[in-house]
Amino acid sequence: MVNSWATFGVDLHLEPTGPGLRRGLTDALREAVRTGRLAPGTRLPPSRSLAADLGIARNTVADAYADLVAEGWLTARQGSGTRVAAGVATGAASPHGEPSPSGAAFPPGAPAGSGVRPGSAAAPATTGPVSRPHEPDRPVHDLRPGMPDLASFPRTEWLKAARRALNSAPYHAFGYGDPRGRIELRTALAGYLARARGVRTDPERILVCGGISHGLKILGTVLAARGVPTVAVESYVLRWHRALLGAAGLSDTPLPFDELGTDPGELSDEGAVLLTPAHQFPMGVPLHRDRRAAVVEWARRTGGLVVEDDYDGEFRYDRQPVGALQGLDPEHVVYLGTASKSLAPGLRLAWMALPPGLAGEAVEAKGGIDTCGVLDQLTLAEFIASGAYDRHIRAARLRYRRRRDALVAELARRAPSVRATGIAAGLHVVLRLPSGTEQATLRAAAWHGLAVDGLHRHRHPDATAEPCDALVVGYGTPPDHAWSAALDALCAALPE
Amino acid sequence: MVNSWATFGVDLHLEPTGPGLRRGLTDALREAVRTGRLAPGTRLPPSRSLAADLGIARNTVADAYADLVAEGWLTARQGSGTRVAAGVATGAASPHGEPSPSGAAFPPGAPAGSGVRPGSAAAPATTGPVSRPHEPDRPVHDLRPGMPDLASFPRTEWLKAARRALNSAPYHAFGYGDPRGRIELRTALAGYLARARGVRTDPERILVCGGISHGLKILGTVLAARGVPTVAVESYVLRWHRALLGAAGLSDTPLPFDELGTDPGELSDEGAVLLTPAHQFPMGVPLHRDRRAAVVEWARRTGGLVVEDDYDGEFRYDRQPVGALQGLDPEHVVYLGTASKSLAPGLRLAWMALPPGLAGEAVEAKGGIDTCGVLDQLTLAEFIASGAYDRHIRAARLRYRRRRDALVAELARRAPSVRATGIAAGLHVVLRLPSGTEQATLRAAAWHGLAVDGLHRHRHPDATAEPCDALVVGYGTPPDHAWSAALDALCAALPE
């Protein structure tokens, strides 16, 4: 169902019923405020009349208003009605300038789900000719983190966008293009990232790349060329990302980690720090507001570079989104985003918003040419511009939230000794296990045909944080029809 | 018009009239013999009855038969009729095992046409933020080599293939894939390359990459890791390719060049040699059969690697195709092909057929992951498998041949002091100028709004061959409607 609330220039794309309806309305209003289409001070229609206008229940509108008042986007005063709050800047991620210390969960920019991991893929490469089967072996249930539900890739909508994009593209778009990527996509991304993630950038400073891995490779080359010897990383971090930094000639050192997230207090002359601020991978906590400020302060003081891996920033469920750290200081933070979680890794499309001083070096490190196919770039640009991307994200968010809710409820019933953390966002949770049971649980999982990661896999070897036993469970990967069985197998594998 | 010659399992896609009719029939018969659908010894129908069957003139069939007899695919004996020759192996590039010493012209795997060249793109990168206009400035007439006619990109057919590919793909195809590329594409390529270029490979040894540049980057990494210090290149060579080798830490040294093509006689312990055997870039001569044999012999004797850049092998006009050098020795030759000339550079799709011992290292050098978008890979696989690729190539070949003929005729009339060479194939010609006039002609060309390369641009700085004055003119780039005006401007700029 699509309603157009034309009076305010707000396009509402609403689920017909259920929690998605309220969420859709809340999101649309938040976006309208954030983008300035609803200016500060604007008085919103009474909930009763908006409800009648949209053909929905008054309570739904009242709840949406209440959510947005709680988040600070709207104000409600007796006798004055509901108004857009003063001081909510266009493009801001949050009216408070900082996110609440809740979470947004995220999967990383590295292969995990469908069987081929960078590590395992490289392994046979060193031992001779590659002779793996056509499709990598897959476990019965794949709950490793880092993959969205590939079965829900919007094939029909994507093809429609491809048709429009291909038919309207000038012929020279099919040539060797701007090394930064197609201008249509960079323009669409600049708008989307400002609106949805609070990123402050413009198309001239966006660099399209072939995945977060590619982005890190480019940045590693730039940092190495600048003479940066070491990059600070988090205590929990993807091995693959460390390997990419290593391949560029950079060493890495872990920052301390506690319940407020990664602690940047020990940053000194590293030159760069790689963080997952919205939803620490894999722990799931967002970086605390004080620490966000501290990281930016460090970068300003030392001239260091902050690399923000926002791999799953689109997926947050319980609170308002954690805006991008980049929005605090676009001069010192590189923002990295990707279509790998929001659409599919197979697109091989990701993007960086670069500080002005870095754009030229990054283009050079990319090789001076556009390495990404223009047809997918043009299609994604059309997909975003037409609103199909937002609709897809909204539907995916609802799907994953339901899965998460089912997971948490089922765990409480069947595995009460297991505590689910990092659940506020993203496509994975961390299941804390009784001490000393991680290896046994992984064996039990394998016995149940389940692929899942142990937390130790993602712990930096030099991390000082107390090791804890846990599973990292990606609930995005199974197709809908297989989700219940996967959840059942997971519960069967967990200690009771 | 599509005729099906079902008796022999030969699908004929014929132009209704003109030279394309004879060519289409010849090509279809040649493919049928090459692929084994017409077995050695098979007697072909009399030209009169085939002509009646197809509804075309008897002479056309007789001419096609005569062409194929001359090429060695068929035999004709008094009283025995026309038969498929004995000993023409399935998948062979040519019944003689070696190409005739004629040409097939080719454009390189590097950007040239639409304005952004790697060199110029990298230039602003070193001087600060990138701030070029959205679309690079384009000259009125772009006749630089290396670009196909982008306006003839088969949008409708491509979209049809995309729809079929996307709708039939298993959902896990959208995940992180095999680092070698999608199996559907590698399978389609292995068949196509055997049939059209005489390449001997299988899908397990094909590596999909994002352009010939990407392939050279991968090979450069492999060679450097093997300790190869120097790569032999041709006296005429793309700067961009030399830069890619240099970026991998390899030096390069030029081989001598004469009217028989590049002379491999001086090869010693270089470890690798990069060649354009089918159609030397930019000179246009094919590598002489004796020299092809000598290169392979060198590789066998020293364990060296031959890198064959077959950038435009699909486009040959006057004689039978020059088969891939790789077919002579798949253990020592890497074959590099690309969709950049046959379809469009914007696809960023190319492929390597690797010796068995090299596949693993190349996968590792690629980064252990698939870096190319799967949607375009699946679409190209479907495009090839459905026959749309062959049809497109055939139509493009006809278009470019007509342009070449017009170019040669117009030059003879308006610029008789200019000699066109390297015209048997490819998308560019070399126009030999009176000595000492290259710079003045380039200035005149610019004055006429024409972008064109001087031959000196592509001469290796250490080459020993006598420098000669010439233009390298890419006639593929202009869209059809602009071709006449471009040709007119070119003739106006040339010395009379």
Side-chain angles (χ1 to χ4, degrees):
Chain A
M1 184 176 85
V2 176
N3 289 298
S4 181
W5 188 24
T7 318
F8 287 90
V10 177
D11 290 329
L12 297 175
H13 302 283
L14 302 178
E15 299 284 324
T17 56
L21 180 59
R22 171 174 163 185
R23 176 154 300 276
L25 180 60
T26 311
D27 287 351
L29 288 170
R30 192 190 294 113
E31 279 179 11
V33 174
R34 199 184 281 157
T35 57
R37 277 177 294 163
L38 287 175
T42 304
R43 182 170 178 164
L44 274 75
S47 56
R48 185 188 304 272
S49 58
L50 180 56
D53 198 30
L54 298 175
I56 61 179
R58 182 187 172 187
N59 272 357
T60 305
V61 178
D63 287 346
Y65 280 7
D67 285 350
L68 293 167
V69 167
E71 289 176 17
W73 298 100
L74 304 180
T75 58
R77 289 236 177 71
Q78 196 79 33
S80 160
T82 305
R83 291 178 183 274
V84 176
V88 287
T90 301
S94 145
H96 307 301
E98 286 287 320
S100 63
S102 83
F106 80 122
S114 79
V116 180
R117 293 190 177 220
S120 63
T126 58
T127 57
V130 174
S131 60
R132 277 178 289 106
H134 292 173
E135 288 297 337
D137 288 330
R138 283 190 302 277
V140 183
H141 305 292
D142 194 345
L143 293 179
R144 289 176 295 179
M147 282 280 276
D149 174 10
L150 299 174
S152 73
F153 182 82
R155 303 185 191 210
T156 306
E157 288 298 320
W158 187 265
L159 275 167
K160 281 184 193 166
R163 175 174 303 279
R164 289 193 301 268
L166 207 53
N167 286 336
S168 64
Y171 70 82
H172 48 77
F174 303 138
Y176 296 98
D178 189 309
R180 291 169 297 180
R182 285 299 304 176
I183 181 63
E184 295 89 341
L185 178 56
R186 290 184 284 120
T187 303
L189 283 170
Y192 170 78
L193 293 174
R195 170 164 64 80
R197 304 295 300 126
V199 170
R200 288 152 59 193
T201 188
D202 63 66
E204 301 302 303
R205 292 193 288 124
I206 287 184
L207 190 69
V208 177
C209 49
I212 290 214
S213 299
H214 188 209
L216 284 178
K217 207 167 163 181
I218 290 169
L219 291 172
T221 305
V222 169
L223 291 170
R226 283 187 170 193
V228 169
T230 303
V231 175
V233 299
E234 299 183 280
S235 281
Y236 293 94
V237 59
L238 274 176
R239 288 180 188 181
W240 176 234
H241 288 183
R242 293 186 58 229
L244 287 168
L245 296 175
L250 301 162
S251 64
D252 64 276
T253 179
L255 293 170
F257 178 82
D258 59 29
E259 70 280 357
L260 299 183
T262 294
D263 182 358
E266 290 183 15
L267 277 172
S268 59
D269 59 353
E270 284 83 357
V273 56
L274 171 61
L275 296 171
T276 49
H279 185 234
Q280 206 286 325
F281 182 82
M283 300 303 279
V285 293
L287 191 62
H288 189 272
R289 58 191 299 167
D290 295 344
R291 292 182 172 180
R292 289 162 64 100
V295 169
V296 167
E297 200 279 319
W298 166 83
R300 289 176 180 164
R301 194 177 68 244
T302 66
L305 188 71
V306 182
V307 181
E308 174 176 31
D309 175 2
D310 193 44
Y311 62 99
D312 70 356
E314 288 87 352
F315 298 113
R316 28 65 199 184
Y317 308 119
D318 300 327
R319 306 256 189 116
Q320 88 187 59
V322 178
L325 182 63
Q326 190 268 5
L328 294 184
D329 191 343
E331 307 286 312
H332 292 93
V333 183
V334 176
Y335 174 90
L336 273 172
T338 177
S340 292
K341 309 299 172 277
S342 58
L343 283 163
L347 289 176
R348 302 281 76 213
L349 283 177
W351 39 85
M352 294 195 267
L354 294 158
L358 209 67
E361 286 161 83
V363 165
E364 193 178 15
K366 193 183 173 186
I369 59 171
D370 191 4
T371 54
C372 303
V374 295
L375 303 189
D376 282 342
Q377 290 190 60
L378 293 170
T379 302
L380 180 55
E382 171 65 26
F383 202 74
I384 294 171
S386 69
Y389 191 71
D390 285 66
R391 288 194 294 278
H392 174 71
I393 295 285
R394 209 166 293 148
R397 201 184 285 139
L398 186 64
R399 170 184 298 109
Y400 296 134
R401 185 188 177 145
R402 283 179 181 146
R403 289 192 188 185
R404 184 208 60 171
D405 291 347
L407 173 64
V408 170
E410 198 69 2
L411 286 172
R413 197 170 67 80
R414 293 179 57 185
S417 72
V418 171
R419 190 163 55 94
T421 60
I423 63 171
L427 304 177
H428 71 271
V429 295
V430 173
L431 303 186
R432 304 295 185 109
L433 301 170
S435 186
T437 63
E438 184 175 308
Q439 284 306 313
T441 307
L442 285 172
R443 281 193 297 274
W447 195 86
H448 283 89
L450 208 63
V452 65
D453 280 356
L455 180 58
H456 281 80
R457 179 187 175 83
H458 299 295
R459 188 168 181 274
H460 195 292
D462 302 331
T464 53
E466 192 66 29
C468 56
D469 287 81
L471 296 188
V472 183
V473 173
Y475 52 84
T477 311
D480 274 341
H481 67 83
W483 163 240
S484 299
L487 179 53
D488 194 56
L490 175 67
C491 288
L494 290 172
E496 286 180 8
Chain B
M1 183 177 83
V2 177
N3 288 297
S4 180
W5 187 24
T7 317
F8 287 91
V10 177
D11 289 329
L12 297 175
H13 302 282
L14 302 178
E15 298 284 324
T17 57
L21 179 58
R22 171 175 163 184
R23 175 153 300 276
L25 180 59
T26 311
D27 287 351
L29 287 170
R30 191 190 296 112
E31 278 180 11
V33 174
R34 198 184 281 157
T35 57
R37 277 177 294 164
L38 287 175
T42 304
R43 182 171 176 163
L44 273 76
S47 56
R48 186 189 305 272
S49 58
L50 180 56
D53 197 32
L54 298 174
I56 61 181
R58 183 187 170 187
N59 272 357
T60 305
V61 178
D63 287 346
Y65 281 12
D67 286 350
L68 293 167
V69 167
E71 289 176 16
W73 298 101
L74 304 180
T75 59
R77 290 234 176 74
Q78 195 80 34
S80 161
T82 305
R83 292 179 182 273
V84 176
V88 287
T90 301
S94 147
H96 307 299
E98 287 288 321
S100 65
S102 84
F106 80 124
S114 81
V116 180
R117 293 191 178 217
S120 63
T126 58
T127 58
V130 174
S131 60
R132 277 178 289 108
H134 293 173
E135 289 296 339
D137 288 332
R138 284 190 301 278
V140 182
H141 306 293
D142 194 345
L143 292 179
R144 290 176 295 180
M147 282 279 276
D149 173 10
L150 300 174
S152 73
F153 183 83
R155 303 186 191 208
T156 305
E157 288 298 320
W158 187 264
L159 276 167
K160 282 184 192 165
R163 175 175 303 278
R164 290 193 301 268
L166 208 54
N167 286 337
S168 65
Y171 69 82
H172 47 79
F174 304 137
Y176 295 99
D178 189 308
R180 291 169 295 178
R182 285 299 305 176
I183 182 62
E184 295 90 339
L185 179 56
R186 289 184 286 120
T187 303
L189 284 171
Y192 170 78
L193 294 175
R195 171 164 62 80
R197 303 295 300 126
V199 171
R200 287 151 61 193
T201 188
D202 63 65
E204 302 302 303
R205 293 194 287 122
I206 287 184
L207 190 69
V208 176
C209 50
I212 290 212
S213 299
H214 188 210
L216 285 178
K217 206 168 163 181
I218 291 169
L219 292 172
T221 305
V222 169
L223 291 170
R226 284 186 169 194
V228 169
T230 303
V231 175
V233 299
E234 299 182 278
S235 282
Y236 292 93
V237 58
L238 275 177
R239 288 181 188 179
W240 177 234
H241 289 182
R242 294 186 58 228
L244 287 169
L245 297 175
L250 302 162
S251 65
D252 65 275
T253 178
L255 294 170
F257 177 83
D258 58 28
E259 70 280 359
L260 300 182
T262 294
D263 182 358
E266 290 184 15
L267 276 172
S268 59
D269 59 351
E270 285 83 357
V273 56
L274 170 62
L275 296 172
T276 49
H279 186 234
Q280 206 286 326
F281 182 82
M283 299 304 278
V285 293
L287 191 61
H288 188 272
R289 56 192 302 167
D290 295 344
R291 292 181 173 181
R292 287 162 66 98
V295 169
V296 166
E297 200 279 318
W298 165 83
R300 288 177 180 163
R301 193 177 69 243
T302 64
L305 188 72
V306 182
V307 180
E308 174 177 29
D309 175 1
D310 193 44
Y311 62 98
D312 70 356
E314 289 86 353
F315 299 114
R316 27 72 199 177
Y317 308 119
D318 300 327
R319 306 256 189 116
Q320 88 186 59
V322 178
L325 182 62
Q326 191 268 2
L328 294 185
D329 191 343
E331 308 286 312
H332 292 94
V333 183
V334 177
Y335 174 90
L336 275 171
T338 177
S340 292
K341 308 300 173 277
S342 58
L343 283 163
L347 287 177
R348 302 282 73 214
L349 283 176
W351 40 85
M352 293 195 267
L354 294 158
L358 208 68
E361 287 161 81
V363 165
E364 192 178 15
K366 192 183 174 186
I369 58 172
D370 192 4
T371 54
C372 302
V374 296
L375 303 189
D376 282 342
Q377 289 189 62
L378 293 170
T379 302
L380 180 55
E382 170 66 26
F383 202 74
I384 294 172
S386 69
Y389 191 71
D390 284 67
R391 286 194 297 278
H392 174 71
I393 296 286
R394 209 165 294 147
R397 202 184 285 138
L398 185 64
R399 171 184 298 108
Y400 296 133
R401 185 188 176 145
R402 284 180 181 148
R403 289 191 188 185
R404 184 209 58 168
D405 291 347
L407 173 63
V408 170
E410 197 70 0
L411 286 173
R413 198 170 66 81
R414 293 178 57 185
S417 72
V418 170
R419 190 164 54 95
T421 61
I423 64 170
L427 306 177
H428 71 271
V429 293
V430 173
L431 304 186
R432 303 295 185 108
L433 301 171
S435 186
T437 63
E438 183 176 309
Q439 285 305 314
T441 308
L442 286 171
R443 281 193 298 274
W447 195 87
H448 282 90
L450 208 62
V452 67
D453 280 356
L455 180 59
H456 281 81
R457 178 187 176 84
H458 300 295
R459 188 170 183 274
H460 194 293
D462 302 333
T464 53
E466 192 67 26
C468 56
D469 288 81
L471 296 187
V472 184
V473 173
Y475 51 84
T477 311
D480 275 340
H481 67 83
W483 164 240
S484 300
L487 178 53
D488 193 56
L490 174 67
C491 288
L494 290 172
E496 285 179 11

